[in-house]
Amino acid sequence: MLRWLIGGGREPQGLAEKSSVQTVGEEQIQNPYTELLVLKGHQDIVRFLVQIDDCRFASAGDDGIVCLWNAQTGEKLVELHGHTHKITAIAPFSSSDAFEEKKYLIITASADRTVIVWDCTSGRQVQKVSCFHSTVKCLTVLRRLDVWLSGGSDLCVWNQKLDLLCKTSHLTDAGISALVELPKNCVAAAVGKELIIFRLSDSNNESEGWNVFEVKRLVDHQDNILSLVSVNDSTFVTGSHVGELIVWDALDWTKQASECNFWDSSVHPDVQPEIKLSQSPNETSVQHLASDEECVFAAVGKGIYVYNLQMKRVIACQRTAHDSSVLHIEKLPNRQLISCSEDGSVRIWELREKQQLPAEPVPTGFFNMWGFGRANKQANQAAKKMQENTPMNFLELVGDLIGHSSAVQMFLYFGELGLATCSADHLIILWKDGERESSLRSLTLFQKLGQNGDLQLKL
């Protein structure tokens, strides 16, 4: 059964009213998260979680506070105060050289038009910059060049101490909403409907310094680009407000494939028949993308979709994975996915293969009479061979985590340490493997008894 461990002693409001298809308990035999810790440290919506190292993570949101947590114990390690408005972006960064031990840093941007670099060990501000003309909406770290990028009305390049190395001229009032790193010192920036490719250069001449310049503008999307994901050094993918998914070559920035109606069952008749979505923009908006080397996982409206990059098509989906829009999706190291939604739920899915029915024989008839039989037969044989070689997949719900009383913004997966989720209910929840936690507590108890001489431990 589900075990609650609530910090502060008060159960979140609204849980009694929650209803779900499944409840956490013995009937969900493939769901390990039967124990949870509720972490209280924020006074407003918690929108961001970032991993610092194997056991620490940071949270941030609309109260302008950054909290650092221990992922094993749920202990709040430190609160970082420095922003006066909501946090709009956060990114982690670690650095080390031959003369210094490894440093764990995070950088935060806020609607107060400031950016701060924090030392995660000491909790102190390393640097603060207040020279922005508009809010910074996204941050990313280019590890190959050891620099930060901030995106807003301008694209700015910074070193670790937030010394400005170079910047672009003013782009648009809307500004950059998302960034992704590309090979050859390039980045792709989403600016409304456009995708702008920038290249960074570090001149050997100290007087010239760094430079960032626009290389190309890609205008293939029909509506605002909401999500970007890098697949590997040769591929990245974008998704838009009206459900467009485009696969790009990361080296020459050409369009490799696209799906503008990948939810339509008439286009992919071999996928689940319920995948036709209504044409409302809210139902087709691509809120988040994740990927591995083989597939892209898309949060589209209330549904989740698995797009195979080699086949260039959707191979599995759940049109109504949640009752409201899906905000975040990730693939676990196994064949499982996790998704979270505005409806307050977090769900675990497993990608499974369907057993295929034998192909129907090709009928003979009219076309054979007019000499089309041979070509028709060859075409059907090719189609039959493709069908036999194409695995059929489906997504099965194997776990439903009910704990938040409002929209779950995102989550972090910590492997054996569990799962961290953040929500509009101001809470963070650490979901734990109940059996593992019970075993750890038993082991600790036996060790204490052994140390006190109350129990003889035999190795």
Side-chain angles (χ1 to χ4, degrees), residues 60-83:
D62 288 6
D63 59 6
I65 300 171
V66 181
C67 295
L68 272 55
W69 306 89
N70 183 303
Q72 173 62 54
T73 64
E75 176 190 1
K76 182 164 66 174
L77 303 173
V78 68
E79 276 189 15
L80 308 178
H81 295 266
H83 292 295

mmCIF file with all atom_site columns, all heavy atoms in Angstrom, residues 60-83:
data_model
loop_
_atom_site.group_PDB
_atom_site.id
_atom_site.type_symbol
_atom_site.label_atom_id
_atom_site.label_alt_id
_atom_site.label_comp_id
_atom_site.label_asym_id
_atom_site.label_entity_id
_atom_site.label_seq_id
_atom_site.pdbx_PDB_ins_code
_atom_site.Cartn_x
_atom_site.Cartn_y
_atom_site.Cartn_z
_atom_site.occupancy
_atom_site.B_iso_or_equiv
_atom_site.pdbx_formal_charge
_atom_site.auth_seq_id
_atom_site.auth_comp_id
_atom_site.auth_asym_id
_atom_site.auth_atom_id
_atom_site.pdbx_PDB_model_num
ATOM 1   N N   . ALA A 1 60 ? 13.008 25.532 -8.457  1.00 0.00 ? 60 ALA A N   1
ATOM 2   C CA  . ALA A 1 60 ? 12.777 26.973 -8.580  1.00 0.00 ? 60 ALA A CA  1
ATOM 3   C C   . ALA A 1 60 ? 11.414 27.205 -9.189  1.00 0.00 ? 60 ALA A C   1
ATOM 4   O O   . ALA A 1 60 ? 10.852 26.325 -9.855  1.00 0.00 ? 60 ALA A O   1
ATOM 5   C CB  . ALA A 1 60 ? 13.863 27.624 -9.434  1.00 0.00 ? 60 ALA A CB  1
ATOM 6   N N   . GLY A 1 61 ? 10.883 28.408 -8.968  1.00 0.00 ? 61 GLY A N   1
ATOM 7   C CA  . GLY A 1 61 ? 9.559  28.697 -9.501  1.00 0.00 ? 61 GLY A CA  1
ATOM 8   C C   . GLY A 1 61 ? 9.179  30.149 -9.350  1.00 0.00 ? 61 GLY A C   1
ATOM 9   O O   . GLY A 1 61 ? 10.024 31.053 -9.356  1.00 0.00 ? 61 GLY A O   1
ATOM 10  N N   . ASP A 1 62 ? 7.877  30.365 -9.158  1.00 0.00 ? 62 ASP A N   1
ATOM 11  C CA  . ASP A 1 62 ? 7.332  31.713 -9.212  1.00 0.00 ? 62 ASP A CA  1
ATOM 12  C C   . ASP A 1 62 ? 7.588  32.538 -7.959  1.00 0.00 ? 62 ASP A C   1
ATOM 13  O O   . ASP A 1 62 ? 7.335  33.742 -7.949  1.00 0.00 ? 62 ASP A O   1
ATOM 14  C CB  . ASP A 1 62 ? 5.819  31.645 -9.473  1.00 0.00 ? 62 ASP A CB  1
ATOM 15  C CG  . ASP A 1 62 ? 5.505  31.219 -10.896 1.00 0.00 ? 62 ASP A CG  1
ATOM 16  O OD1 . ASP A 1 62 ? 6.452  30.874 -11.630 1.00 0.00 ? 62 ASP A OD1 1
ATOM 17  O OD2 . ASP A 1 62 ? 4.322  31.220 -11.286 1.00 0.00 ? 62 ASP A OD2 1
ATOM 18  N N   . ASP A 1 63 ? 8.072  31.916 -6.876  1.00 0.00 ? 63 ASP A N   1
ATOM 19  C CA  . ASP A 1 63 ? 8.378  32.700 -5.673  1.00 0.00 ? 63 ASP A CA  1
ATOM 20  C C   . ASP A 1 63 ? 9.781  33.307 -5.716  1.00 0.00 ? 63 ASP A C   1
ATOM 21  O O   . ASP A 1 63 ? 10.174 34.040 -4.804  1.00 0.00 ? 63 ASP A O   1
ATOM 22  C CB  . ASP A 1 63 ? 8.205  31.864 -4.404  1.00 0.00 ? 63 ASP A CB  1
ATOM 23  C CG  . ASP A 1 63 ? 9.098  30.621 -4.381  1.00 0.00 ? 63 ASP A CG  1
ATOM 24  O OD1 . ASP A 1 63 ? 9.931  30.464 -5.297  1.00 0.00 ? 63 ASP A OD1 1
ATOM 25  O OD2 . ASP A 1 63 ? 8.945  29.797 -3.465  1.00 0.00 ? 63 ASP A OD2 1
ATOM 26  N N   . GLY A 1 64 ? 10.543 33.007 -6.779  1.00 0.00 ? 64 GLY A N   1
ATOM 27  C CA  . GLY A 1 64 ? 11.877 33.575 -6.937  1.00 0.00 ? 64 GLY A CA  1
ATOM 28  C C   . GLY A 1 64 ? 12.949 32.924 -6.096  1.00 0.00 ? 64 GLY A C   1
ATOM 29  O O   . GLY A 1 64 ? 14.109 33.326 -6.141  1.00 0.00 ? 64 GLY A O   1
ATOM 30  N N   . ILE A 1 65 ? 12.579 31.894 -5.323  1.00 0.00 ? 65 ILE A N   1
ATOM 31  C CA  . ILE A 1 65 ? 13.529 31.203 -4.443  1.00 0.00 ? 65 ILE A CA  1
ATOM 32  C C   . ILE A 1 65 ? 14.065 29.956 -5.143  1.00 0.00 ? 65 ILE A C   1
ATOM 33  O O   . ILE A 1 65 ? 13.331 29.261 -5.849  1.00 0.00 ? 65 ILE A O   1
ATOM 34  C CB  . ILE A 1 65 ? 12.856 30.810 -3.119  1.00 0.00 ? 65 ILE A CB  1
ATOM 35  C CG1 . ILE A 1 65 ? 12.346 32.058 -2.387  1.00 0.00 ? 65 ILE A CG1 1
ATOM 36  C CG2 . ILE A 1 65 ? 13.807 30.027 -2.224  1.00 0.00 ? 65 ILE A CG2 1
ATOM 37  C CD1 . ILE A 1 65 ? 11.481 31.733 -1.189  1.00 0.00 ? 65 ILE A CD1 1
ATOM 38  N N   . VAL A 1 66 ? 15.332 29.659 -4.922  1.00 0.00 ? 66 VAL A N   1
ATOM 39  C CA  . VAL A 1 66 ? 15.939 28.417 -5.393  1.00 0.00 ? 66 VAL A CA  1
ATOM 40  C C   . VAL A 1 66 ? 16.261 27.564 -4.166  1.00 0.00 ? 66 VAL A C   1
ATOM 41  O O   . VAL A 1 66 ? 16.907 28.043 -3.234  1.00 0.00 ? 66 VAL A O   1
ATOM 42  C CB  . VAL A 1 66 ? 17.217 28.677 -6.209  1.00 0.00 ? 66 VAL A CB  1
ATOM 43  C CG1 . VAL A 1 66 ? 17.805 27.366 -6.715  1.00 0.00 ? 66 VAL A CG1 1
ATOM 44  C CG2 . VAL A 1 66 ? 16.933 29.623 -7.362  1.00 0.00 ? 66 VAL A CG2 1
ATOM 45  N N   . CYS A 1 67 ? 15.775 26.322 -4.163  1.00 0.00 ? 67 CYS A N   1
ATOM 46  C CA  . CYS A 1 67 ? 16.055 25.403 -3.047  1.00 0.00 ? 67 CYS A CA  1
ATOM 47  C C   . CYS A 1 67 ? 16.907 24.247 -3.534  1.00 0.00 ? 67 CYS A C   1
ATOM 48  O O   . CYS A 1 67 ? 16.683 23.720 -4.632  1.00 0.00 ? 67 CYS A O   1
ATOM 49  C CB  . CYS A 1 67 ? 14.755 24.858 -2.452  1.00 0.00 ? 67 CYS A CB  1
ATOM 50  S SG  . CYS A 1 67 ? 13.708 26.101 -1.683  1.00 0.00 ? 67 CYS A SG  1
ATOM 51  N N   . LEU A 1 68 ? 17.877 23.851 -2.711  1.00 0.00 ? 68 LEU A N   1
ATOM 52  C CA  . LEU A 1 68 ? 18.701 22.674 -3.003  1.00 0.00 ? 68 LEU A CA  1
ATOM 53  C C   . LEU A 1 68 ? 18.297 21.551 -2.064  1.00 0.00 ? 68 LEU A C   1
ATOM 54  O O   . LEU A 1 68 ? 18.124 21.774 -0.853  1.00 0.00 ? 68 LEU A O   1
ATOM 55  C CB  . LEU A 1 68 ? 20.184 22.997 -2.824  1.00 0.00 ? 68 LEU A CB  1
ATOM 56  C CG  . LEU A 1 68 ? 20.931 23.565 -4.047  1.00 0.00 ? 68 LEU A CG  1
ATOM 57  C CD1 . LEU A 1 68 ? 20.247 24.810 -4.585  1.00 0.00 ? 68 LEU A CD1 1
ATOM 58  C CD2 . LEU A 1 68 ? 22.382 23.880 -3.698  1.00 0.00 ? 68 LEU A CD2 1
ATOM 59  N N   . TRP A 1 69 ? 18.149 20.325 -2.619  1.00 0.00 ? 69 TRP A N   1
ATOM 60  C CA  . TRP A 1 69 ? 17.608 19.192 -1.880  1.00 0.00 ? 69 TRP A CA  1
ATOM 61  C C   . TRP A 1 69 ? 18.512 17.973 -1.990  1.00 0.00 ? 69 TRP A C   1
ATOM 62  O O   . TRP A 1 69 ? 19.221 17.802 -2.981  1.00 0.00 ? 69 TRP A O   1
ATOM 63  C CB  . TRP A 1 69 ? 16.233 18.808 -2.422  1.00 0.00 ? 69 TRP A CB  1
ATOM 64  C CG  . TRP A 1 69 ? 15.227 19.911 -2.481  1.00 0.00 ? 69 TRP A CG  1
ATOM 65  C CD1 . TRP A 1 69 ? 15.022 20.769 -3.531  1.00 0.00 ? 69 TRP A CD1 1
ATOM 66  C CD2 . TRP A 1 69 ? 14.285 20.284 -1.462  1.00 0.00 ? 69 TRP A CD2 1
ATOM 67  N NE1 . TRP A 1 69 ? 14.012 21.642 -3.238  1.00 0.00 ? 69 TRP A NE1 1
ATOM 68  C CE2 . TRP A 1 69 ? 13.539 21.372 -1.977  1.00 0.00 ? 69 TRP A CE2 1
ATOM 69  C CE3 . TRP A 1 69 ? 14.000 19.800 -0.194  1.00 0.00 ? 69 TRP A CE3 1
ATOM 70  C CZ2 . TRP A 1 69 ? 12.520 21.985 -1.251  1.00 0.00 ? 69 TRP A CZ2 1
ATOM 71  C CZ3 . TRP A 1 69 ? 12.984 20.409 0.534   1.00 0.00 ? 69 TRP A CZ3 1
ATOM 72  C CH2 . TRP A 1 69 ? 12.258 21.491 0.013   1.00 0.00 ? 69 TRP A CH2 1
ATOM 73  N N   . ASN A 1 70 ? 18.416 17.111 -0.981  1.00 0.00 ? 70 ASN A N   1
ATOM 74  C CA  . ASN A 1 70 ? 19.041 15.790 -1.023  1.00 0.00 ? 70 ASN A CA  1
ATOM 75  C C   . ASN A 1 70 ? 18.012 14.806 -1.561  1.00 0.00 ? 70 ASN A C   1
ATOM 76  O O   . ASN A 1 70 ? 16.937 14.651 -0.979  1.00 0.00 ? 70 ASN A O   1
ATOM 77  C CB  . ASN A 1 70 ? 19.497 15.372 0.375   1.00 0.00 ? 70 ASN A CB  1
ATOM 78  C CG  . ASN A 1 70 ? 20.218 14.044 0.393   1.00 0.00 ? 70 ASN A CG  1
ATOM 79  O OD1 . ASN A 1 70 ? 19.688 13.024 -0.036  1.00 0.00 ? 70 ASN A OD1 1
ATOM 80  N ND2 . ASN A 1 70 ? 21.441 14.040 0.895   1.00 0.00 ? 70 ASN A ND2 1
ATOM 81  N N   . ALA A 1 71 ? 18.325 14.150 -2.689  1.00 0.00 ? 71 ALA A N   1
ATOM 82  C CA  . ALA A 1 71 ? 17.364 13.271 -3.347  1.00 0.00 ? 71 ALA A CA  1
ATOM 83  C C   . ALA A 1 71 ? 17.132 11.973 -2.583  1.00 0.00 ? 71 ALA A C   1
ATOM 84  O O   . ALA A 1 71 ? 16.124 11.308 -2.785  1.00 0.00 ? 71 ALA A O   1
ATOM 85  C CB  . ALA A 1 71 ? 17.838 12.945 -4.763  1.00 0.00 ? 71 ALA A CB  1
ATOM 86  N N   . GLN A 1 72 ? 18.037 11.600 -1.699  1.00 0.00 ? 72 GLN A N   1
ATOM 87  C CA  . GLN A 1 72 ? 17.868 10.377 -0.925  1.00 0.00 ? 72 GLN A CA  1
ATOM 88  C C   . GLN A 1 72 ? 16.984 10.611 0.283   1.00 0.00 ? 72 GLN A C   1
ATOM 89  O O   . GLN A 1 72 ? 16.028 9.882  0.533   1.00 0.00 ? 72 GLN A O   1
ATOM 90  C CB  . GLN A 1 72 ? 19.229 9.835  -0.481  1.00 0.00 ? 72 GLN A CB  1
ATOM 91  C CG  . GLN A 1 72 ? 19.161 8.647  0.480   1.00 0.00 ? 72 GLN A CG  1
ATOM 92  C CD  . GLN A 1 72 ? 18.482 7.437  -0.126  1.00 0.00 ? 72 GLN A CD  1
ATOM 93  O OE1 . GLN A 1 72 ? 18.870 6.965  -1.191  1.00 0.00 ? 72 GLN A OE1 1
ATOM 94  N NE2 . GLN A 1 72 ? 17.446 6.918  0.533   1.00 0.00 ? 72 GLN A NE2 1
ATOM 95  N N   . THR A 1 73 ? 17.280 11.656 1.042   1.00 0.00 ? 73 THR A N   1
ATOM 96  C CA  . THR A 1 73 ? 16.589 11.880 2.310   1.00 0.00 ? 73 THR A CA  1
ATOM 97  C C   . THR A 1 73 ? 15.454 12.896 2.223   1.00 0.00 ? 73 THR A C   1
ATOM 98  O O   . THR A 1 73 ? 14.599 12.960 3.105   1.00 0.00 ? 73 THR A O   1
ATOM 99  C CB  . THR A 1 73 ? 17.585 12.379 3.372   1.00 0.00 ? 73 THR A CB  1
ATOM 100 O OG1 . THR A 1 73 ? 18.094 13.662 2.960   1.00 0.00 ? 73 THR A OG1 1
ATOM 101 C CG2 . THR A 1 73 ? 18.743 11.408 3.521   1.00 0.00 ? 73 THR A CG2 1
ATOM 102 N N   . GLY A 1 74 ? 15.444 13.728 1.177   1.00 0.00 ? 74 GLY A N   1
ATOM 103 C CA  . GLY A 1 74 ? 14.461 14.791 1.078   1.00 0.00 ? 74 GLY A CA  1
ATOM 104 C C   . GLY A 1 74 ? 14.829 16.018 1.892   1.00 0.00 ? 74 GLY A C   1
ATOM 105 O O   . GLY A 1 74 ? 14.035 16.964 1.988   1.00 0.00 ? 74 GLY A O   1
ATOM 106 N N   . GLU A 1 75 ? 16.015 16.049 2.469   1.00 0.00 ? 75 GLU A N   1
ATOM 107 C CA  . GLU A 1 75 ? 16.437 17.175 3.295   1.00 0.00 ? 75 GLU A CA  1
ATOM 108 C C   . GLU A 1 75 ? 16.673 18.411 2.424   1.00 0.00 ? 75 GLU A C   1
ATOM 109 O O   . GLU A 1 75 ? 17.299 18.328 1.361   1.00 0.00 ? 75 GLU A O   1
ATOM 110 C CB  . GLU A 1 75 ? 17.729 16.820 4.027   1.00 0.00 ? 75 GLU A CB  1
ATOM 111 C CG  . GLU A 1 75 ? 18.308 17.964 4.855   1.00 0.00 ? 75 GLU A CG  1
ATOM 112 C CD  . GLU A 1 75 ? 19.703 17.661 5.366   1.00 0.00 ? 75 GLU A CD  1
ATOM 113 O OE1 . GLU A 1 75 ? 20.239 16.570 5.061   1.00 0.00 ? 75 GLU A OE1 1
ATOM 114 O OE2 . GLU A 1 75 ? 20.266 18.528 6.066   1.00 0.00 ? 75 GLU A OE2 1
ATOM 115 N N   . LYS A 1 76 ? 16.165 19.560 2.888   1.00 0.00 ? 76 LYS A N   1
ATOM 116 C CA  . LYS A 1 76 ? 16.466 20.822 2.210   1.00 0.00 ? 76 LYS A CA  1
ATOM 117 C C   . LYS A 1 76 ? 17.837 21.293 2.670   1.00 0.00 ? 76 LYS A C   1
ATOM 118 O O   . LYS A 1 76 ? 18.059 21.546 3.853   1.00 0.00 ? 76 LYS A O   1
ATOM 119 C CB  . LYS A 1 76 ? 15.399 21.874 2.504   1.00 0.00 ? 76 LYS A CB  1
ATOM 120 C CG  . LYS A 1 76 ? 15.657 23.186 1.766   1.00 0.00 ? 76 LYS A CG  1
ATOM 121 C CD  . LYS A 1 76 ? 14.433 24.099 1.738   1.00 0.00 ? 76 LYS A CD  1
ATOM 122 C CE  . LYS A 1 76 ? 14.079 24.579 3.121   1.00 0.00 ? 76 LYS A CE  1
ATOM 123 N NZ  . LYS A 1 76 ? 12.985 25.589 3.076   1.00 0.00 ? 76 LYS A NZ  1
ATOM 124 N N   . LEU A 1 77 ? 18.752 21.419 1.734   1.00 0.00 ? 77 LEU A N   1
ATOM 125 C CA  . LEU A 1 77 ? 20.141 21.736 2.069   1.00 0.00 ? 77 LEU A CA  1
ATOM 126 C C   . LEU A 1 77 ? 20.357 23.232 2.221   1.00 0.00 ? 77 LEU A C   1
ATOM 127 O O   . LEU A 1 77 ? 21.076 23.670 3.126   1.00 0.00 ? 77 LEU A O   1
ATOM 128 C CB  . LEU A 1 77 ? 21.065 21.175 0.987   1.00 0.00 ? 77 LEU A CB  1
ATOM 129 C CG  . LEU A 1 77 ? 20.937 19.660 0.738   1.00 0.00 ? 77 LEU A CG  1
ATOM 130 C CD1 . LEU A 1 77 ? 21.770 19.248 -0.462  1.00 0.00 ? 77 LEU A CD1 1
ATOM 131 C CD2 . LEU A 1 77 ? 21.350 18.884 1.983   1.00 0.00 ? 77 LEU A CD2 1
ATOM 132 N N   . VAL A 1 78 ? 19.768 24.027 1.347   1.00 0.00 ? 78 VAL A N   1
ATOM 133 C CA  . VAL A 1 78 ? 19.972 25.478 1.415   1.00 0.00 ? 78 VAL A CA  1
ATOM 134 C C   . VAL A 1 78 ? 18.896 26.169 0.589   1.00 0.00 ? 78 VAL A C   1
ATOM 135 O O   . VAL A 1 78 ? 18.364 25.590 -0.356  1.00 0.00 ? 78 VAL A O   1
ATOM 136 C CB  . VAL A 1 78 ? 21.388 25.855 0.908   1.00 0.00 ? 78 VAL A CB  1
ATOM 137 C CG1 . VAL A 1 78 ? 21.530 25.593 -0.573  1.00 0.00 ? 78 VAL A CG1 1
ATOM 138 C CG2 . VAL A 1 78 ? 21.717 27.313 1.228   1.00 0.00 ? 78 VAL A CG2 1
ATOM 139 N N   . GLU A 1 79 ? 18.568 27.391 0.975   1.00 0.00 ? 79 GLU A N   1
ATOM 140 C CA  . GLU A 1 79 ? 17.692 28.257 0.183   1.00 0.00 ? 79 GLU A CA  1
ATOM 141 C C   . GLU A 1 79 ? 18.534 29.390 -0.387  1.00 0.00 ? 79 GLU A C   1
ATOM 142 O O   . GLU A 1 79 ? 19.316 30.007 0.331   1.00 0.00 ? 79 GLU A O   1
ATOM 143 C CB  . GLU A 1 79 ? 16.566 28.855 1.037   1.00 0.00 ? 79 GLU A CB  1
ATOM 144 C CG  . GLU A 1 79 ? 15.368 27.971 1.220   1.00 0.00 ? 79 GLU A CG  1
ATOM 145 C CD  . GLU A 1 79 ? 14.205 28.714 1.878   1.00 0.00 ? 79 GLU A CD  1
ATOM 146 O OE1 . GLU A 1 79 ? 14.233 29.963 1.919   1.00 0.00 ? 79 GLU A OE1 1
ATOM 147 O OE2 . GLU A 1 79 ? 13.289 28.033 2.362   1.00 0.00 ? 79 GLU A OE2 1
ATOM 148 N N   . LEU A 1 80 ? 18.332 29.661 -1.683  1.00 0.00 ? 80 LEU A N   1
ATOM 149 C CA  . LEU A 1 80 ? 19.088 30.718 -2.346  1.00 0.00 ? 80 LEU A CA  1
ATOM 150 C C   . LEU A 1 80 ? 18.156 31.885 -2.636  1.00 0.00 ? 80 LEU A C   1
ATOM 151 O O   . LEU A 1 80 ? 17.185 31.745 -3.388  1.00 0.00 ? 80 LEU A O   1
ATOM 152 C CB  . LEU A 1 80 ? 19.709 30.198 -3.645  1.00 0.00 ? 80 LEU A CB  1
ATOM 153 C CG  . LEU A 1 80 ? 20.535 28.904 -3.520  1.00 0.00 ? 80 LEU A CG  1
ATOM 154 C CD1 . LEU A 1 80 ? 21.055 28.477 -4.883  1.00 0.00 ? 80 LEU A CD1 1
ATOM 155 C CD2 . LEU A 1 80 ? 21.683 29.093 -2.533  1.00 0.00 ? 80 LEU A CD2 1
ATOM 156 N N   . HIS A 1 81 ? 18.442 33.046 -2.031  1.00 0.00 ? 81 HIS A N   1
ATOM 157 C CA  . HIS A 1 81 ? 17.630 34.249 -2.205  1.00 0.00 ? 81 HIS A CA  1
ATOM 158 C C   . HIS A 1 81 ? 18.439 35.301 -2.941  1.00 0.00 ? 81 HIS A C   1
ATOM 159 O O   . HIS A 1 81 ? 19.564 35.606 -2.555  1.00 0.00 ? 81 HIS A O   1
ATOM 160 C CB  . HIS A 1 81 ? 17.182 34.804 -0.849  1.00 0.00 ? 81 HIS A CB  1
ATOM 161 C CG  . HIS A 1 81 ? 16.255 33.895 -0.101  1.00 0.00 ? 81 HIS A CG  1
ATOM 162 N ND1 . HIS A 1 81 ? 14.896 34.000 -0.163  1.00 0.00 ? 81 HIS A ND1 1
ATOM 163 C CD2 . HIS A 1 81 ? 16.511 32.840 0.722   1.00 0.00 ? 81 HIS A CD2 1
ATOM 164 C CE1 . HIS A 1 81 ? 14.335 33.074 0.594   1.00 0.00 ? 81 HIS A CE1 1
ATOM 165 N NE2 . HIS A 1 81 ? 15.306 32.347 1.145   1.00 0.00 ? 81 HIS A NE2 1
ATOM 166 N N   . GLY A 1 82 ? 17.861 35.858 -3.978  1.00 0.00 ? 82 GLY A N   1
ATOM 167 C CA  . GLY A 1 82 ? 18.562 36.880 -4.752  1.00 0.00 ? 82 GLY A CA  1
ATOM 168 C C   . GLY A 1 82 ? 17.677 37.498 -5.813  1.00 0.00 ? 82 GLY A C   1
ATOM 169 O O   . GLY A 1 82 ? 17.915 38.620 -6.253  1.00 0.00 ? 82 GLY A O   1
ATOM 170 N N   . HIS A 1 83 ? 16.644 36.757 -6.240  1.00 0.00 ? 83 HIS A N   1
ATOM 171 C CA  . HIS A 1 83 ? 15.704 37.268 -7.238  1.00 0.00 ? 83 HIS A CA  1
ATOM 172 C C   . HIS A 1 83 ? 14.474 37.865 -6.549  1.00 0.00 ? 83 HIS A C   1
ATOM 173 O O   . HIS A 1 83 ? 14.059 37.403 -5.478  1.00 0.00 ? 83 HIS A O   1
ATOM 174 C CB  . HIS A 1 83 ? 15.265 36.152 -8.178  1.00 0.00 ? 83 HIS A CB  1
ATOM 175 C CG  . HIS A 1 83 ? 16.364 35.656 -9.078  1.00 0.00 ? 83 HIS A CG  1
ATOM 176 N ND1 . HIS A 1 83 ? 16.947 36.454 -10.037 1.00 0.00 ? 83 HIS A ND1 1
ATOM 177 C CD2 . HIS A 1 83 ? 16.987 34.447 -9.174  1.00 0.00 ? 83 HIS A CD2 1
ATOM 178 C CE1 . HIS A 1 83 ? 17.882 35.762 -10.690 1.00 0.00 ? 83 HIS A CE1 1
ATOM 179 N NE2 . HIS A 1 83 ? 17.924 34.545 -10.177 1.00 0.00 ? 83 HIS A NE2 1
#
